[in-house]
Amino acid sequence: MISGEQPKELLPFVGGERLNMPKGLPFQLDHYLALVDWSGRHLDSKKRGAISQNATPILERLGISAKHWLYLNRNFESRFKGLVGSAEVVRQACIQLNKRWVHGIGDCQRFLSANPS
């Protein structure tokens, strides 16, 4: 497997049903994630994987837009080479590690920070 590519054992998300349907899961990734979220919220609260009804959707809690999340799923390894997180957290880690610069800080700001510049 080439870095950043989906393993061949996993079927890709190919979208809604249509003529000449390619082999894959008949979902868009964002619809699949919504289904997983909905399912987790309807499990018995004592079951593993249960999501509280009061929990904010995960991407909202992380401060990441759905558009950026989908992009990062396809490009994570090519965009980040070291520290990853919100730009502020990465900057604090650089201070603690006595690093003056980290590859990908712009992408941390753009994709993983609540207030992108």
Side-chain angles (χ1 to χ4, degrees), residues 7-75:
K8 291 180 181 172
E9 310 81 62
L10 298 177
L11 291 173
F13 292 96
V14 295
E17 290 188 44
R18 57 192 177 275
L19 291 175
N20 301 320
M21 184 76 175
K23 184 177 181 182
L25 299 172
F27 292 101
Q28 291 176 283
L29 178 58
D30 58 337
H31 294 166
Y32 177 75
L33 295 175
L35 177 63
V36 170
D37 183 81
W38 183 91
S39 300
R41 291 172 189 274
H42 288 82
L43 290 174
D44 180 330
S45 62
K46 296 178 186 123
K47 296 277 186 180
R48 184 174 185 221
I51 300 170
S52 167
Q53 292 294 329
N54 300 328
T56 306
I58 186 66
L59 294 180
E60 193 175 323
R61 281 185 276 157
L62 295 172
I64 303 172
S65 74
K67 177 182 170 183
H68 287 161
W69 177 253
L70 292 172
Y71 175 81
L72 289 173
N73 270 279
R74 294 181 183 104
N75 300 285

Side-chain angles (χ1 to χ4, degrees), residues 94-115:
C94 284
I95 291 168
Q96 291 176 351
L97 297 169
N98 204 24
K99 291 182 76 159
R100 294 178 51 170
W101 180 83
V102 65
H103 177 79
I105 191 74
D107 285 332
C108 290
Q109 181 68 42
R110 182 178 307 113
F111 299 118
L112 303 171
S113 298
N115 299 312

